[in-house]
Structure formats: C-alpha cells, structure tokens
Amino acid sequence: MIILMKLGATQSQVDHVCSAIRGKGHEPLVLPGEDRLAIGIPDALTADEKVDIAGLISQLDGVSMVTQTSRPYKLASLEFHPNETVVRAGPATFGGGCFTVVAGPCSIESLPQLRLAAREARNSGARALRGGAFKPRTSPYAFQGLQEEGLRIMKEVGEETGLATVTEVMSVEQVAFAAECVDMLQIGARSMQNYPLLVAAGKADKPVLLKRGPSATIDEFLLAAEYVLSQGNPNVVLCERGVVPIDRSYTRNTLDLTAVPVLKEHTHLPVVVDPSHGTGVARYVPSMAMASLAAGADGLMIEMHPEPKNALSDGAQSLDPAAFERLMRDLRALATHLGREMA
Ligand code: PEP
Ligand code: MN
C-alpha cells in the first residue's frame, strides 16, 4: 500500500500517518519524492487489513491518496520509488542515463592474465573489471577458481588500473573478504534464490550485481532483489543473462532482451545485460550487446580474455581484446546515434 501525501503536507501530518500505520502493527516506509512525499507499507496485507487501513488513513489530514501496489515486490518497485536509482561501485556508475561496460575474464587465472585483461578492457573504454575467484562450475572436477588468492589479485589489479572491480560470491562465508577486496559483489544466476546469501549481501557495505536465475520469472528476479534491498542495501544492479533455452544446439541460453524494457517499466534499479552467458558463443556477443544498448539497458557485462582459446572457463563465449575493442567502437557509435552517453 502507498499513501501519497498532499503537496506541502507538514512533518506532523506525516508523523501522524506513520503512527497510525504502526498502530495497526506495520512499519511505515517514508519515501521522499521530487515534490510530494509518499509513505509505503511494505508488509503483505490481507484483504481485510487493506480495507481497514485505507479507510483509516484516507481520512487523516495531509493525505492525498491511498493506493494498493499491484506487485509482490515493494522496495524494488517503481511504484514505491519513482526516481531511478543510480548505483556507484568504486569509480563506476550504473544508471542515471549513462551506459557502463564491465569486462574481463570469466575466471581470474593469474596476476599476469588479469592484469592484461584489465589493461585491454580499460584501454577500450570499460569502466569495471569482472573476474571470478569462486566459480560455480557444473562439474566438481572443473577449475573452481583461485578463491582468496584470486580476490587478492583482483584488488591489486583494480588499484593498478583504476577500474571498479566485480566478483562473484557463492556463499555467506565468502562475503566479508570479497567485500574487502572488490567494489561490487556479484550474485550469480545459480545463487539468485540462495536467500541467506541475498541477506548477507544485503548487509554488506558494497553494491550488488544480481544475475537473473536461468528459469526465474521477472517477479522472482525482483523479489530476489527485494531480499537485498530489505536488509538496508539500496545498491542493486540487475543483470539479465539469459534463460533456459528451448534449443541448446545453437546457444547456451536464450538472452531475454524483453526483460530490459519490462524491468525498466517496473523497477527503479539499473539493468545491465550479459550477452556472453546469454549466448555462450563469442561471435554472437557483439550483436546482442548492441541490441542491449538499443533496448535501453544501463550497461553490459562482457567476458573478455587475453587468449580465449586458453581460458580455464568460458573461453567459447569470451571475446579477445581486438573483438572487444571493435565492439566498444560500435557501441560508442550506436550510443551517439541513440543520444545515450557511454560512461
Ligand atoms: C559468470 O558471470 O561468470 C557466471 C558464472 O555467470 P552466471 O551466474 O550468469 O552463469
Ligand atoms: Mn563465465
């Protein structure tokens, strides 16, 4: 439920509405707006409670309108928070009109590998460096990542290059040290519904890049974001990375680009696209990256490896530095054409 206050409503009128909500056993959420203030009730209300509370509140001084929210998520909803959220992750910014590119290898493999990838990414115009230290691999025999050593490498390379750094955490125990080493915590597709992990990320003092689960609906995706937001961390960037395909013989996933305008219509959180996991095929990445910009995304996450053929994970979908540079040039041209600004 959202209570919209009248233009010029006084603080004591706002306080009165809040105490009436508390009197009904719910915690109000005050949402300052550009010109008018709104007060939300994030709790799920029963039909009887809705009638009861709306009847009481609509008669209070200073109240303009009482509306029911139509979606199960509240804090993530544009209804609750009409201004677009801008997320700052170290030196990088997501949202607010700019188009931000995160690039780097799937896995951190060594200091020289990450350093080379980072320099190529930065020189081509990326603003943030990605790289996994804890890797969610389908097989337990596949490379699992350099773990803490990888995080130390990421920190060093981030400081050296001035790029923001993003890495995945797979468990609650990994959050604290990762948060010390990088600017942004990634929650991977497989972990999107790991609720204790979402809660831990919500308590961390770092922004979160939340990837959509391979079979998650939009509501499930936004409710996962809601877990992070509800712990007091307002800095969530959503990442569309493809959903389970009906045909795996050509692509690894089906990149759901309709998720971009749909999310933009329903949430204030920035939305980026990962066409690398979204397609699984390096040669399909550039066109899907361009399409993501055209669809209104706030940025991209791209896998780029100095030598994709020798990558320890996801080489088939990784661009080499030359292909990445070409893509960045094409993105800049398209951004100019669309009146968008590249970060
Ligand atoms: C990754 O970014 O390397 C990754 C494992 O992605 P996803 O969680 O989208 O599969
Ligand atoms: Mn990967």
Side-chain angles (χ1 to χ4, degrees):
M1 182 178 289
I2 296 179
I3 297 115
L4 187 65
M5 300 302 288
K6 287 183 179 153
L7 210 62
T10 65
Q11 185 60 45
S12 81
Q13 289 170 336
V14 172
D15 291 345
H16 197 183
V17 171
C18 288
S19 54
I21 295 168
R22 286 197 191 95
K24 292 287 177 187
H26 300 285
E27 196 47 40
L29 184 76
V30 176
L31 306 154
E34 298 250 293
D35 48 3
R36 289 202 276 180
L37 185 138
I39 301 169
I41 307 178
D43 289 349
L45 303 176
T46 64
D48 284 351
E49 277 182 313
K50 283 181 187 165
V51 174
D52 179 35
I53 295 175
L56 172 74
I57 304 276
S58 55
Q59 291 174 32
L60 298 180
D61 289 342
V63 172
S64 163
M65 203 169 54
V66 178
T67 55
Q68 307 295 339
T69 47
S70 48
R71 301 285 163 185
Y73 44 86
K74 311 284 176 196
L75 303 176
S77 163
L78 204 51
E79 289 175 319
F80 249 53
H81 188 300
N83 304 321
E84 194 188 344
T85 288
V86 176
V87 173
R88 296 207 159 75
T93 300
F94 296 87
C98 61
F99 191 76
T100 304
V101 178
V102 183
C106 178
S107 299
I108 301 163
E109 298 169 6
S110 67
L111 178 60
Q113 173 249 14
L114 192 69
R115 183 179 273 152
L116 196 54
R119 287 182 183 165
E120 299 283 3
R122 185 196 54 197
N123 294 345
S124 296
R127 291 283 174 246
L129 174 66
R130 62 148 289 141
F134 298 102
K135 293 306 302 176
R137 303 306 300 280
T138 304
S139 163
Y141 307 115
F143 176 60
Q144 301 288 308
L146 296 183
Q147 323 245 326
E148 280 81 8
E149 175 58 13
L151 295 179
R152 281 189 277 271
I153 292 173
M154 188 62 137
K155 184 170 186 328
E156 185 174 337
V157 173
E159 283 164 4
E160 243 174 55
T161 55
L163 290 168
T165 49
V166 188
T167 204
E168 176 167 356
V169 283
M170 293 199 299
S171 72
V172 173
E173 307 80 68
Q174 292 164 0
V175 170
F177 188 54
E180 277 178 35
C181 296
V182 299
D183 297 311
M184 189 175 213
L185 302 174
Q186 175 174 325
I187 298 202
R190 294 161 186 79
S191 301
M192 192 206 82
Q193 286 176 314
N194 179 339
Y195 300 116
L197 181 60
L198 296 171
V199 168
K203 290 184 173 144
D205 195 19
K206 284 287 151 90
V208 173
L209 185 122
L210 177 65
K211 294 187 120 187
R212 180 181 182 181
S215 44
T217 63
I218 295 289
D219 278 358
E220 287 166 341
F221 190 17
L222 289 173
L223 284 166
E226 191 85 5
Y227 265 88
V228 179
L229 300 172
S230 66
Q231 297 303 314
N233 186 346
N235 298 309
V236 177
V237 174
L238 302 168
C239 181
E240 164 59 42
R241 47 76 74 203
V243 292
V244 175
I246 52 168
D247 183 355
R248 268 229 154 94
S249 39
Y250 295 90
T251 58
R252 180 177 180 184
N253 289 295
T254 294
L255 187 63
D256 178 12
L257 280 184
T258 54
V260 176
V262 170
L263 288 167
K264 287 275 159 197
E265 191 174 304
H266 294 286
T267 181
H268 52 89
L269 299 171
V271 178
V272 302
V273 175
D274 170 355
S276 306
H277 293 85
T279 61
V281 182
R283 66 182 180 283
Y284 300 152
V285 168
S287 54
M288 291 298 97
M290 299 284 275
S292 304
L293 169 58
D298 296 294
L300 290 166
M301 178 179 255
I302 306 264
E303 285 189 339
M304 184 266 274
H305 192 285
E307 293 176 69
K309 277 194 294 298
N310 298 322
L312 296 183
S313 61
D314 285 352
Q317 65 191 37
S318 299
L319 297 184
D320 63 26
F324 181 68
E325 191 191 3
R326 276 196 301 280
L327 169 60
M328 290 299 284
R329 218 180 305 133
D330 290 347
L331 286 167
R332 271 192 291 276
L334 180 59
T336 304
H337 183 71
L338 295 171
R340 293 284 309 272
E341 202 180 310
M342 294 282 283

